[in-house]
Amino acid sequence: MAKKILGGAFTIYNGVSRNCITRLNSDGTLDQSFNPGTGCTNFFTSYNPTYVHTIAVQSDGKIIVAGNFLKYNGFICNGLVRLNSDGSIDKSFNVGSGLNAPAFKVLIQPNGKILIAGNFTTYNGVSRSRIARIHANGSLDTTFKPGSGFNNYVKTITLLSNGKIMVGGIFNT
C-alpha cells in the first residue's frame, strides 16, 4: 500500500501540528519526510474554515493542493499551490494572484494540463466563472474557453473516456 496524502480542516494529526494537510505511511503513521511547515492558513473572507478540498498528484510526484486557504507555509497562494514530494512549495508553479474563492476539485488531464473547479470567478485576475484549465507551470490555458462559465459553484469534474469533461455542482446555467 502506498503513502496517502490527507487534506481537510484538521490542525493536528496524531498529536503533531498539521494544518489541513499531511501524508501518512502505509501503516497510518505520520510520514516525517513530508513537512508542510505551517500548512494551509487563513481563509477566503466569506468561507469558513480553512480547508483543503482537493489534492491531485502529478505523474512527476508533485502535489496540487486547492481549497479554502490564502497561504501555504506562509507563502501567499490564494487557494492553489503545488508542492514538491517533501511538502515544500514548488515555486516554479506560478498562479499569480490565484483564485478569488475556493476550488473544490482539481483534475490532471492525460496531457498534463490541470482542470480546476469551484466557486471562484477569476483565476490570476482573468474571468473564469467556476472552471478553468491551467498549464503545468500554473499559467492560464487560454485555449480552454468556458464562455460565461457557471452561475453557481462546480463541486466535481471528471474526464470521460472520449476526452470530454463532465461537471456537477449547484448550478443551472
Side-chain angles (χ1 to χ4, degrees), residues 7 12 18 24 51 60 69 82 87 104 107 139 146 155 169 173:
I12 296 173
R18 289 290 189 260
L24 306 180
Y51 200 97
D60 63 0
F69 56 90
R82 183 168 66 191
F104 300 129
L107 182 71
S139 66
K155 186 72 173 165
T173 60

Side-chain angles (χ1 to χ4, degrees), residues 18-156:
R18 289 290 189 260
N19 279 333
C20 304
I21 189 167
T22 194
R23 187 169 62 196
L24 306 180
N25 295 309
S26 60
D27 64 359
T29 60
L30 191 67
D31 178 358
Q32 296 290 342
S33 69
F34 182 85
N35 182 1
T38 59
C40 298
T41 57
N42 305 93
F43 52 86
F44 290 105
T45 307
S46 59
Y47 303 91
N48 286 315
T50 302
Y51 200 97
V52 168
H53 288 286
T54 185
I55 299 169
V57 180
Q58 296 177 289
S59 61
D60 63 0
K62 295 199 177 191
I63 306 158
I64 306 286
V65 180
N68 187 30
F69 56 90
L70 297 177
K71 295 179 180 179
Y72 179 85
N73 199 17
F75 179 77
I76 295 172
C77 56
N78 292 329
L80 183 66
V81 66
R82 183 168 66 191
L83 308 178
N84 296 306
S85 62
D86 65 358
S88 65
I89 297 167
D90 176 4
K91 292 188 179 175
S92 71
F93 185 73
N94 185 357
V95 300
S97 60
L99 303 166
N100 68 335
F104 300 129
K105 182 69 176 176
V106 171
L107 182 71
I108 301 167
Q109 294 183 283
N111 63 5
K113 293 185 180 185
I114 303 159
L115 288 165
I116 309 164
N119 200 31
F120 57 90
T121 56
T122 64
Y123 178 81
N124 195 16
V126 177
S127 179
R128 285 295 184 266
S129 196
R130 299 174 177 94
I131 192 165
R133 185 169 68 189
I134 60 175
H135 297 286
N137 66 2
S139 66
L140 185 65
D141 179 357
T142 57
T143 66
F144 182 76
K145 300 184 183 292
S148 60
F150 298 90
N151 71 335
N152 209 332
Y153 71 82
V154 175
K155 186 72 173 165
T156 189

